Amino acid sequence: MRILPGAMLGVLGGGQLGRMFVQAAQQMGYRVTVLDPAMDSPAGQVADDFVCADYADHAALMKLGNQCAAITTEFENIPAGSLQKLAESCIVRPDTYSVAIAQNRVLEKQFLADNGFSVAPFAIIAHQQDLVSPDIAQLLPGILKISQFGYDGKGQVPVVSFDELTIAYDQLDHAVCVLEKFMPLKRELSVVVARGGNGELQIFPVSENQHINGILDISIVPARVAPQLAKQAQDLTCRLVEKMDYQGVLCVEFFVLQDDTLLINEIAPRPHNSGHYSINACITSQFEQQVRALCGLPLGATTQHSAAVMVNLLGDLWRNGKPDWQRVLQHSSAKLHLYGKTAARPGRKMGHYTVLSNDIDNALREAGHIKKQLEHH
């Protein structure tokens, strides 16, 4: 079934990913209803209809289900019960099964391991006694990660010794966690893919990602890796979405070890921060692709027409007042995207800019120059 322009679509979540989905859908002629508990949400500001309510609010879900032809999500921590309820009255993509796997690190790691995908060695810490399992020593030094609701480095604690592990488990309130062995990394990559209801696949170029304090700082596309490694990452991503029978846009984050071994770090069942470059550098953006997959339309081409470097703008830049955006806009190949967030906090994603070029080194140089100018305003 194809849902054509003019229809009302719905999105659960009002953050910047929702905002960019709304803008892509409206550009194609759709109307969009956003459900989010925050009155000043970035997506709510630009939506055709905004429902300010909790994601489990029965009346709000009924309204959304009745007026929308299809509904998607902009982040993975939507209650599974809400997605199931909505699926009774309209199309919901991605489905409850896919979101449930990706929103829980335990289920995610088990799914990946059970289906033959390589991941870092890990153990599930569900009870205090799991900390003294004989296998734990082999996972230290490691990173203790809360199983749900962690993002941008939150809910993650590096640990070197048994004592640090015990303290970290206390810090995370004895929640169910995953302990992952620390792996010496050469690079971090990610791949965004779109899969339609008929199984059609469109894969985006591989992104090379650099993080600071667990938050994505810059994405370099195409990634500076050997072509066979990039193809391997894309092939693994396609195999994963097919194994999940996933419908929609999904991102897979990879660790590259020193010997070029690829490990899957995380799955995100939605467009991804590292895919923002596609708005300006690809024939079809990840957000237009999300609209197309949701509505049963043929997927767009993902050809990249310019080398791109995407840089996140965090709330730290506002410490001395509003940044001077002329420092971005004076560069003719730089594209500025601000998310409409009113409160700037350290570590909060307020926007991004993407520098385009015919050469990745030139794009990286110019993006770095802009970054320095903004940081020293």
Side-chain angles (χ1 to χ4, degrees):
M1 175 184 166
R2 289 188 176 175
I3 300 166
L4 298 176
M8 178 73 83
L9 306 178
V11 59
L12 296 167
Q16 64 267 19
L17 298 178
R19 182 185 180 96
M20 289 182 267
F21 169 83
V22 171
Q23 290 167 332
Q26 289 172 337
Q27 185 175 313
M28 296 169 70
Y30 293 93
R31 295 169 299 133
V32 187
T33 299
V34 169
L35 172 63
D36 190 271
M39 183 59 76
D40 61 348
S41 71
Q45 295 169 15
V46 297
D48 296 275
D49 191 10
F50 175 53
V51 180
C52 186
D54 186 83
Y55 300 122
D57 185 296
H58 179 74
L61 292 172
M62 288 287 287
K63 177 180 179 182
L64 209 63
N66 288 334
Q67 72 182 37
C68 296
I71 294 172
T72 191
T73 60
E74 71 118 28
F75 74 124
E76 49 269 45
N77 291 323
I78 302 291
S82 298
L83 295 177
Q84 288 171 334
K85 188 71 184 168
L86 288 167
E88 294 172 8
S89 53
C90 64
I91 293 168
V92 176
R93 291 177 180 154
D95 63 15
T96 310
Y97 168 73
S98 302
V99 173
I101 290 172
Q103 72 181 197
N104 186 303
R105 288 189 197 278
V106 171
L107 296 179
E108 181 183 73
K109 294 291 183 193
Q110 289 175 330
F111 174 85
L112 292 170
D114 290 348
N115 286 283
F117 294 98
S118 297
V119 296
F122 71 96
I124 297 161
I125 309 294
H127 306 284
Q128 188 82 32
Q129 56 264 38
D130 294 333
L131 297 173
V132 294
S133 162
D135 300 330
I136 293 297
Q138 300 168 31
L139 300 176
L140 296 175
I143 303 174
L144 188 66
K145 300 181 177 181
I146 198 165
S147 65
Q148 286 188 279
F149 309 119
Y151 67 97
D152 287 344
K154 296 179 175 66
Q156 301 186 17
V157 185
V159 291
V160 174
S161 64
F162 281 109
D163 288 344
E164 287 186 6
L165 178 59
T166 304
I167 292 167
Y169 189 55
D170 290 341
Q171 285 175 353
L172 297 175
D173 295 326
H174 295 196
V176 177
C177 294
V178 172
L179 175 64
E180 290 180 18
K181 183 176 178 63
F182 176 77
M183 308 298 285
L185 304 183
K186 189 179 192 177
R187 277 190 177 85
E188 294 183 62
L189 307 176
S190 62
V191 181
V192 174
V193 64
R195 185 170 183 268
N198 61 355
E200 180 190 2
L201 284 171
Q202 284 286 353
I203 192 102
F204 283 88
V206 179
S207 173
E208 176 186 344
N209 304 319
Q210 298 176 3
H211 295 79
I212 296 177
N213 298 324
I215 303 173
L216 182 63
D217 181 35
I218 70 170
S219 290
I220 303 161
V221 196
R224 298 169 299 175
V225 296
Q228 60 266 30
L229 185 65
K231 185 176 186 308
Q232 186 187 353
Q234 290 178 317
D235 289 348
L236 283 168
T237 300
C238 291
R239 186 156 70 85
L240 175 60
V241 290
E242 288 177 334
K243 183 66 72 172
M244 292 176 77
D245 193 22
Y246 186 88
Q247 296 177 27
V249 172
L250 175 143
C251 178
V252 180
E253 296 180 55
F254 291 94
F255 290 149
V256 183
L257 304 187
Q258 296 298 326
D259 63 356
D260 279 352
T261 297
L262 277 177
L263 302 179
I264 293 181
N265 175 30
E266 289 183 0
I267 307 167
R270 51 171 170 77
H272 193 261
N273 193 172
S274 66
H276 291 348
Y277 75 91
S278 64
I279 298 170
N280 301 114
C282 294
I283 289 175
T284 308
S285 76
Q286 63 173 344
F287 299 101
E288 180 183 335
Q289 212 73 288
Q290 187 182 17
V291 177
R292 286 174 171 268
L294 178 63
C295 295
L297 304 176
L299 299 177
T302 54
T303 310
Q304 184 178 356
H305 53 71
S306 301
V309 174
M310 190 280 305
V311 181
N312 268 334
L313 297 167
L314 303 184
D316 312 62
L317 281 176
W318 275 252
R319 64 188 177 279
N320 296 321
K322 185 178 175 183
D324 180 3
W325 298 124
Q326 288 188 84
R327 299 183 179 198
V328 182
L329 298 171
Q330 68 186 359
H331 295 264
S332 59
S333 59
K335 304 295 183 180
L336 178 64
H337 299 259
L338 296 176
Y339 303 152
K341 296 182 180 179
T342 50
R345 297 189 297 272
R348 190 182 195 199
K349 293 171 183 171
M350 302 294 290
H352 72 269
Y353 63 88
T354 301
V355 174
L356 305 177
S357 178
N358 57 5
D359 175 79
I360 198 65
D361 291 330
N362 288 339
L364 199 52
R365 208 164 23 247
E366 188 163 341
H369 177 64
I370 295 170
K371 194 169 190 280
K372 279 182 183 170
Q373 285 191 309
L374 284 172
E375 288 172 348
H376 295 99
H377 80 284

